[in-house]
Structure formats: C-alpha cells, structure tokens
C-alpha cells in the first residue's frame, strides 16, 4: 500500500431504498439497543417523524433533542451529556450534514456507542464519512476532526430526500462533481495509478463525474415533480455515499484541491455569500480546469452548467466589480503556503492562478449568448 495512506471506509451497514426506516427497530434490537437518543432538526423532524412509527411502537426508551444548529464542540459536549444522563446506547441523527457530524462525534466521545444516520437532504457525504467538520458556535469554520469509529448504520429513505430544496441538491451535485476534477491529476500519476486503494478512490471519483453528467437532468426533474425515480436515487447515493469513498479510499491523495481553495478564497467577498457552498465550488472547478489549460473539458461542461444554473465566471458570481487587485487577492488566498492545492503534481503559484482566473473570465465573456 502507498505510504501514509489511511483508509477509512464508510458505515458498518448501509441501505438505500423506500421503506428502509421500517427496518430500524429490528436492526437496533439486533444490536442490543435499549435507550435511544434522537438528535433532530426542525423541518427535517416534521418530515421524518411519520417514517419512524415502527420505532416508536417498539420497546425502546426514546429521548428527543433538538439540534442547536451548529456542529460545534459545545454542541457535541451537550449531546454527550444527554447521552450520559439518559444512559443512551445509541444516538440517531435525523437531518442535514451538520447534525450527522455532531452525532457521529458525540457517539464517539460518549465511548464509541452506536450511531445511526438518517439524512433528510442529499447535499454532501457527511452521513458516510467518519469525520466531522467543526464550527464555532457563531458558524465560523474551525477544522476537520477524524473520528475513531464510522457510522453504525446509514439508512437512506429516498422519499425523505425527494422534497428537499432544489438548490441544495444542485449544490450537492456540483460539490460531488469536483471530486473527479480535484483528484484527477494526483490519482493518475504513474506512481499512484496502480495502487489498489487509490484505484478504488479514482473509480469512485469517476462514478461521481459520469453519473452526474449522465443523470443530473432527469434527477432534478424528478425532484421538481416530487417523484422518486431511478435517476434520483442513483444521484442521491452518489452525493451521499460514493463521494464519501473518494476521500475514504484516497485519503490525502484524493482530498480537495484548487476548486475548494477558490471557494474558500471567494467567501471573503460578501457578494458571494448568498451562493451555496457547491455553487462556489462549481466555479472553482472551472478555474482548476483553466489552470490546467483543459479548455476542451470546460467546453464539455458549459452546457451542463448552463442547464443547472451553476456559475462559470466571476460575472456569474456577481463579482464583476473585482479589478486586477481583487482578482490577485483571490489568487493569493487560494495559493497560500498551507493550501492543499500544493499537493498537485504541478507548480501552483498566485501569478499562474491570477492568469487562469483572468483567462477564464475572458473566455466566458467571449461565448455567444445561448
Ligand atoms: Zn465541498
């Protein structure tokens, strides 16, 4: 195996199908669970509660706790305290990514007790990966913490996810699409391309790209119609699970690079704040491809971006006001010495990034109106 590669697989058990939540009581009984703590959101709980009738009808002691809204160290401590107070032997998270992250962390900290993930959105791989993205109580990003145990159970009920907001689903698609473009150059290096675990990571990244390009249109139409279709379920699994395998199998060789660095840099400009994470990453993919001079691939992606309403330029991000200094600022922020983009097999500098951003802007401005 490659040096310094730590593999973290996904949940101990995973199932994605309509009706899967009716199996929850049996699965918890098999795991000798008696006392359950459920951590839930607000809207997500109203949506999910009707699917948990079988759980409430079975012989468990259940405590419910509303999530504070932020995956912070304080919130994790609070959940650990609740689990201790109620002698919980399992914590169930119902909601979006931050709830999943807080519940995974609290279950680990409570002595590696069981944790069950019931996502109500498909917008990231939080239900899959044994790591938590930590924020301050005010919502400022702090760091990623790896956890010593994975999720015990991940149960994806497509009917819960079909009525989630379209913007979140589209942003989740764009964020997942980045897995391929950010890892392509590293995983295809001759010294990596034949390493078994990295081959798995690359295959997962390939599935992310290909299935999104092939099925996104149909999956979004399904979401708009509120109808669970094969394409919708497929992309729900890709966003939640397959994307988690890219970093899970590839570790530092398959993490975020330029697309996410660009995202982080443009969060410094208030105009970008009303765009979701995935939308800003989508622009970052374009910058990464411009940096790598892969203009044919940019051409290939343009119709897809247009169809999904993803930003391809600073203009699309409402950042046209940026002058040469502003663009240089993005270039500098995205290439700071500690940036993971320096793990790419080519030189990453602020000057070259500046050139790539400008070239992309000119290219997009020169396109004929569709
Ligand atoms: Zn992301």
């Amino acid at each position: 195996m490659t040096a310094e590669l730590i593999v973290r697989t996904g949940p101990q058990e995973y199932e994605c199908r309509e009706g899967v939540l009716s199996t929850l009581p049996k699965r918890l009984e098999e795991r000798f669970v008696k006392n359950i703590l459920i951590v839930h959101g607000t809207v997500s709980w109203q949506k999910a509660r009707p699917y948990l009738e079988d759980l409430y009808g079975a012989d468990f002691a259940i405590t419910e706790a509303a999530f504070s809204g932020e995956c912070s160290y304080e919130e994790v401590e609070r959940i650990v305290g609740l689990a201790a107070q109620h002698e919980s032997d399992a914590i169930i998270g119902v909601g979006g990514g931050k709830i999943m992250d807080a519940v995974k962390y609290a279950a680990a900290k409570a002595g590696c007790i069981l944790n069950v993930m019931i996502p109500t959105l498909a917008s990231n791989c939080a239900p899959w990966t044994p790591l938590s993205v930590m924020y301050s109580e005010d919502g400022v990003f702090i760091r990623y913490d790896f956890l010593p145990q994975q999720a015990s159970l991940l149960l994806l009920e497509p009917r819960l996810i079909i009525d989630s907001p379209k913007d979140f689903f589209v942003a989740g698609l764009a964020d997942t699409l980045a897995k391929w473009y950010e890892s392509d150059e590293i995983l295809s290096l001759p010294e990596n391309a034949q390493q078994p675990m990295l081959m798995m990571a690359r295959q997962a990244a390939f599935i992310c790209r290909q299935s999104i390009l092939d099925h996104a249109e149909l999956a979004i139409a399904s979401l708009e119609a509120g109808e669970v279709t094969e394409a919708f379920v497929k992309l729900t699994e890709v966003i939640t699970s397959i994307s988690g395998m890219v970093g899970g199998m590839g570790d530092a060789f398959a993490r975020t690079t330029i697309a996410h660095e660009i995202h982080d840099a443009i969060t410094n400009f208030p105009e970008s704040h009303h765009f979701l994470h995935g939308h800003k990453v989508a622009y970052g993919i374009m910058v990464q491809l411009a940096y790598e001079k892969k203009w044919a691939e940019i051409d290939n992606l343009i119709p897809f971006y247009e169809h999904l309403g993803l930003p391809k330029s600073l203009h699309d991000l409402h950042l046209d006001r940026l002058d040469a200094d502003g663009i240089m600022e993005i270039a500098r922020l995205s290439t700071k010495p500690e940036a993971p983009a320096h793990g790419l097999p080519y030189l990453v500098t602020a000057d070259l990034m500046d050139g790539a951003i400008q070239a992309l802007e000119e290219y997009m401005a020169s396109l004929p109106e569709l």
Side-chain angles (χ1 to χ4, degrees), residues 1 46 55-56 71 85 116 142 203-204 231 237 282 296 298 300 307 334 340 345:
M1 202 159 96
Q46 286 166 10
L55 179 71
Y56 277 82
C71 181
Q85 187 189 335
V116 180
I142 302 175
Q203 188 60 25
E237 289 202 89
I298 288 177
N300 189 27
H307 188 81
S334 61

PDB file of all heavy atoms in Angstrom, residues 1 46 55-56 71 85 116 142 203-204 231 237 282 296 298 300 307 334 340 345:
ATOM      1  N   MET A   1       0.842  -1.198   0.000  1.00  0.00           N
ATOM      2  CA  MET A   1       0.000   0.000   0.000  1.00  0.00           C
ATOM      3  C   MET A   1       0.884   1.258   0.000  1.00  0.00           C
ATOM      4  O   MET A   1       1.996   1.240   0.507  1.00  0.00           O
ATOM      5  CB  MET A   1      -0.895  -0.027   1.246  1.00  0.00           C
ATOM      6  CG  MET A   1      -2.117   0.806   1.126  1.00  0.00           C
ATOM      7  SD  MET A   1      -3.419   0.302   2.299  1.00  0.00           S
ATOM      8  CE  MET A   1      -3.148   1.440   3.621  1.00  0.00           C
ATOM      9  N   GLN A  46     -40.117  17.246  11.270  1.00  0.00           N
ATOM     10  CA  GLN A  46     -41.526  17.161  10.848  1.00  0.00           C
ATOM     11  C   GLN A  46     -41.668  16.198   9.666  1.00  0.00           C
ATOM     12  O   GLN A  46     -42.620  15.443   9.573  1.00  0.00           O
ATOM     13  CB  GLN A  46     -42.037  18.533  10.411  1.00  0.00           C
ATOM     14  CG  GLN A  46     -42.290  19.462  11.593  1.00  0.00           C
ATOM     15  CD  GLN A  46     -42.477  20.912  11.148  1.00  0.00           C
ATOM     16  OE1 GLN A  46     -42.595  21.195   9.941  1.00  0.00           O
ATOM     17  NE2 GLN A  46     -42.489  21.819  12.097  1.00  0.00           N
ATOM     18  N   LEU A  55     -40.546   2.519  14.957  1.00  0.00           N
ATOM     19  CA  LEU A  55     -39.552   2.694  16.018  1.00  0.00           C
ATOM     20  C   LEU A  55     -40.262   3.066  17.326  1.00  0.00           C
ATOM     21  O   LEU A  55     -39.976   2.508  18.389  1.00  0.00           O
ATOM     22  CB  LEU A  55     -38.550   3.783  15.624  1.00  0.00           C
ATOM     23  CG  LEU A  55     -37.473   4.077  16.662  1.00  0.00           C
ATOM     24  CD1 LEU A  55     -36.477   2.921  16.751  1.00  0.00           C
ATOM     25  CD2 LEU A  55     -36.732   5.370  16.328  1.00  0.00           C
ATOM     26  N   TYR A  56     -41.192   4.012  17.214  1.00  0.00           N
ATOM     27  CA  TYR A  56     -41.895   4.465  18.419  1.00  0.00           C
ATOM     28  C   TYR A  56     -42.846   3.384  18.948  1.00  0.00           C
ATOM     29  O   TYR A  56     -43.158   3.369  20.139  1.00  0.00           O
ATOM     30  CB  TYR A  56     -42.640   5.782  18.142  1.00  0.00           C
ATOM     31  CG  TYR A  56     -41.716   6.974  18.282  1.00  0.00           C
ATOM     32  CD1 TYR A  56     -40.867   7.360  17.245  1.00  0.00           C
ATOM     33  CD2 TYR A  56     -41.654   7.694  19.476  1.00  0.00           C
ATOM     34  CE1 TYR A  56     -39.999   8.436  17.379  1.00  0.00           C
ATOM     35  CE2 TYR A  56     -40.791   8.775  19.628  1.00  0.00           C
ATOM     36  CZ  TYR A  56     -39.962   9.139  18.570  1.00  0.00           C
ATOM     37  OH  TYR A  56     -39.105  10.195  18.723  1.00  0.00           O
ATOM     38  N   CYS A  71     -22.519  22.522  14.268  1.00  0.00           N
ATOM     39  CA  CYS A  71     -21.704  21.402  14.744  1.00  0.00           C
ATOM     40  C   CYS A  71     -20.472  21.988  15.439  1.00  0.00           C
ATOM     41  O   CYS A  71     -19.400  22.114  14.851  1.00  0.00           O
ATOM     42  CB  CYS A  71     -21.303  20.478  13.592  1.00  0.00           C
ATOM     43  SG  CYS A  71     -20.318  19.092  14.175  1.00  0.00           S
ATOM     44  N   GLN A  85     -26.768  11.199  30.607  1.00  0.00           N
ATOM     45  CA  GLN A  85     -27.907  11.383  31.506  1.00  0.00           C
ATOM     46  C   GLN A  85     -28.989  10.313  31.276  1.00  0.00           C
ATOM     47  O   GLN A  85     -29.567   9.799  32.221  1.00  0.00           O
ATOM     48  CB  GLN A  85     -28.482  12.784  31.235  1.00  0.00           C
ATOM     49  CG  GLN A  85     -29.577  13.236  32.173  1.00  0.00           C
ATOM     50  CD  GLN A  85     -30.196  14.544  31.646  1.00  0.00           C
ATOM     51  OE1 GLN A  85     -29.553  15.312  30.915  1.00  0.00           O
ATOM     52  NE2 GLN A  85     -31.447  14.778  32.001  1.00  0.00           N
ATOM     53  N   VAL A 116     -26.603   6.203  14.383  1.00  0.00           N
ATOM     54  CA  VAL A 116     -27.416   5.905  13.202  1.00  0.00           C
ATOM     55  C   VAL A 116     -27.664   7.204  12.449  1.00  0.00           C
ATOM     56  O   VAL A 116     -28.051   8.205  13.039  1.00  0.00           O
ATOM     57  CB  VAL A 116     -28.776   5.286  13.627  1.00  0.00           C
ATOM     58  CG1 VAL A 116     -29.630   4.985  12.405  1.00  0.00           C
ATOM     59  CG2 VAL A 116     -28.554   4.031  14.473  1.00  0.00           C
ATOM     60  N   ILE A 142     -13.749  25.837  11.836  1.00  0.00           N
ATOM     61  CA  ILE A 142     -12.531  25.666  12.636  1.00  0.00           C
ATOM     62  C   ILE A 142     -11.597  24.636  11.992  1.00  0.00           C
ATOM     63  O   ILE A 142     -10.497  24.964  11.587  1.00  0.00           O
ATOM     64  CB  ILE A 142     -12.851  25.243  14.091  1.00  0.00           C
ATOM     65  CG1 ILE A 142     -13.764  26.274  14.768  1.00  0.00           C
ATOM     66  CG2 ILE A 142     -11.553  25.072  14.901  1.00  0.00           C
ATOM     67  CD1 ILE A 142     -14.231  25.881  16.159  1.00  0.00           C
ATOM     68  N   GLN A 203     -11.857   5.277  -9.110  1.00  0.00           N
ATOM     69  CA  GLN A 203     -13.096   4.731  -9.687  1.00  0.00           C
ATOM     70  C   GLN A 203     -14.319   5.426  -9.069  1.00  0.00           C
ATOM     71  O   GLN A 203     -15.270   5.766  -9.764  1.00  0.00           O
ATOM     72  CB  GLN A 203     -13.158   3.210  -9.461  1.00  0.00           C
ATOM     73  CG  GLN A 203     -14.304   2.515 -10.177  1.00  0.00           C
ATOM     74  CD  GLN A 203     -14.251   2.671 -11.698  1.00  0.00           C
ATOM     75  OE1 GLN A 203     -13.184   2.878 -12.273  1.00  0.00           O
ATOM     76  NE2 GLN A 203     -15.407   2.615 -12.349  1.00  0.00           N
ATOM     77  N   ALA A 204     -14.270   5.632  -7.740  1.00  0.00           N
ATOM     78  CA  ALA A 204     -15.385   6.328  -7.071  1.00  0.00           C
ATOM     79  C   ALA A 204     -15.519   7.746  -7.632  1.00  0.00           C
ATOM     80  O   ALA A 204     -16.629   8.209  -7.915  1.00  0.00           O
ATOM     81  CB  ALA A 204     -15.157   6.365  -5.560  1.00  0.00           C
ATOM     82  N   ALA A 231     -33.069   7.572 -11.522  1.00  0.00           N
ATOM     83  CA  ALA A 231     -32.000   8.578 -11.665  1.00  0.00           C
ATOM     84  C   ALA A 231     -31.835   9.361 -10.373  1.00  0.00           C
ATOM     85  O   ALA A 231     -30.709   9.643  -9.936  1.00  0.00           O
ATOM     86  CB  ALA A 231     -32.331   9.539 -12.814  1.00  0.00           C
ATOM     87  N   GLU A 237     -27.475   8.539  -3.947  1.00  0.00           N
ATOM     88  CA  GLU A 237     -26.414   7.648  -3.462  1.00  0.00           C
ATOM     89  C   GLU A 237     -25.031   8.174  -3.824  1.00  0.00           C
ATOM     90  O   GLU A 237     -24.075   8.044  -3.055  1.00  0.00           O
ATOM     91  CB  GLU A 237     -26.584   6.247  -4.047  1.00  0.00           C
ATOM     92  CG  GLU A 237     -27.755   5.492  -3.479  1.00  0.00           C
ATOM     93  CD  GLU A 237     -27.588   3.996  -3.666  1.00  0.00           C
ATOM     94  OE1 GLU A 237     -26.992   3.339  -2.778  1.00  0.00           O
ATOM     95  OE2 GLU A 237     -28.036   3.494  -4.701  1.00  0.00           O
ATOM     96  N   ALA A 282     -18.431  24.949  -7.822  1.00  0.00           N
ATOM     97  CA  ALA A 282     -18.638  24.767  -9.271  1.00  0.00           C
ATOM     98  C   ALA A 282     -17.767  25.760 -10.049  1.00  0.00           C
ATOM     99  O   ALA A 282     -17.109  25.393 -11.033  1.00  0.00           O
ATOM    100  CB  ALA A 282     -20.111  24.963  -9.622  1.00  0.00           C
ATOM    101  N   ALA A 296     -10.950  22.054 -23.535  1.00  0.00           N
ATOM    102  CA  ALA A 296     -11.937  21.160 -24.157  1.00  0.00           C
ATOM    103  C   ALA A 296     -12.917  20.642 -23.102  1.00  0.00           C
ATOM    104  O   ALA A 296     -14.122  20.517 -23.358  1.00  0.00           O
ATOM    105  CB  ALA A 296     -11.229  19.985 -24.848  1.00  0.00           C
ATOM    106  N   ILE A 298     -13.676  22.245 -20.345  1.00  0.00           N
ATOM    107  CA  ILE A 298     -14.531  23.392 -19.997  1.00  0.00           C
ATOM    108  C   ILE A 298     -15.690  23.479 -21.003  1.00  0.00           C
ATOM    109  O   ILE A 298     -16.857  23.596 -20.609  1.00  0.00           O
ATOM    110  CB  ILE A 298     -13.709  24.702 -19.978  1.00  0.00           C
ATOM    111  CG1 ILE A 298     -12.784  24.689 -18.738  1.00  0.00           C
ATOM    112  CG2 ILE A 298     -14.611  25.936 -19.971  1.00  0.00           C
ATOM    113  CD1 ILE A 298     -11.851  25.877 -18.624  1.00  0.00           C
ATOM    114  N   ASN A 300     -16.926  21.129 -22.687  1.00  0.00           N
ATOM    115  CA  ASN A 300     -17.777  19.976 -22.428  1.00  0.00           C
ATOM    116  C   ASN A 300     -18.758  20.249 -21.275  1.00  0.00           C
ATOM    117  O   ASN A 300     -19.911  19.821 -21.298  1.00  0.00           O
ATOM    118  CB  ASN A 300     -16.838  18.805 -22.075  1.00  0.00           C
ATOM    119  CG  ASN A 300     -17.538  17.485 -21.991  1.00  0.00           C
ATOM    120  OD1 ASN A 300     -18.569  17.293 -22.635  1.00  0.00           O
ATOM    121  ND2 ASN A 300     -17.012  16.591 -21.187  1.00  0.00           N
ATOM    122  N   HIS A 307     -27.435  24.531 -17.896  1.00  0.00           N
ATOM    123  CA  HIS A 307     -28.703  23.861 -17.582  1.00  0.00           C
ATOM    124  C   HIS A 307     -29.003  23.895 -16.081  1.00  0.00           C
ATOM    125  O   HIS A 307     -30.139  24.085 -15.659  1.00  0.00           O
ATOM    126  CB  HIS A 307     -28.664  22.414 -18.084  1.00  0.00           C
ATOM    127  CG  HIS A 307     -29.983  21.739 -17.973  1.00  0.00           C
ATOM    128  ND1 HIS A 307     -30.985  21.913 -18.901  1.00  0.00           N
ATOM    129  CD2 HIS A 307     -30.510  20.947 -17.006  1.00  0.00           C
ATOM    130  CE1 HIS A 307     -32.059  21.241 -18.527  1.00  0.00           C
ATOM    131  NE2 HIS A 307     -31.794  20.638 -17.374  1.00  0.00           N
ATOM    132  N   SER A 334      -5.956  31.699  -2.535  1.00  0.00           N
ATOM    133  CA  SER A 334      -6.158  30.299  -2.920  1.00  0.00           C
ATOM    134  C   SER A 334      -4.838  29.542  -3.087  1.00  0.00           C
ATOM    135  O   SER A 334      -4.843  28.330  -3.308  1.00  0.00           O
ATOM    136  CB  SER A 334      -6.977  30.223  -4.218  1.00  0.00           C
ATOM    137  OG  SER A 334      -6.272  30.865  -5.252  1.00  0.00           O
ATOM    138  N   PRO A 340      -3.874  22.907   0.314  1.00  0.00           N
ATOM    139  CA  PRO A 340      -3.693  21.533  -0.175  1.00  0.00           C
ATOM    140  C   PRO A 340      -3.420  21.476  -1.670  1.00  0.00           C
ATOM    141  O   PRO A 340      -2.891  20.483  -2.168  1.00  0.00           O
ATOM    142  CB  PRO A 340      -5.031  20.854   0.148  1.00  0.00           C
ATOM    143  CG  PRO A 340      -5.719  21.730   1.134  1.00  0.00           C
ATOM    144  CD  PRO A 340      -5.188  23.116   0.936  1.00  0.00           C
ATOM    145  N   PRO A 345       0.487  17.763  -8.805  1.00  0.00           N
ATOM    146  CA  PRO A 345       1.792  17.468  -9.419  1.00  0.00           C
ATOM    147  C   PRO A 345       2.261  18.548 -10.392  1.00  0.00           C
ATOM    148  O   PRO A 345       2.891  18.241 -11.377  1.00  0.00           O
ATOM    149  CB  PRO A 345       1.544  16.132 -10.134  1.00  0.00           C
ATOM    150  CG  PRO A 345       0.099  16.128 -10.419  1.00  0.00           C
ATOM    151  CD  PRO A 345      -0.584  16.939  -9.359  1.00  0.00           C
TER     152      PRO A 345
END
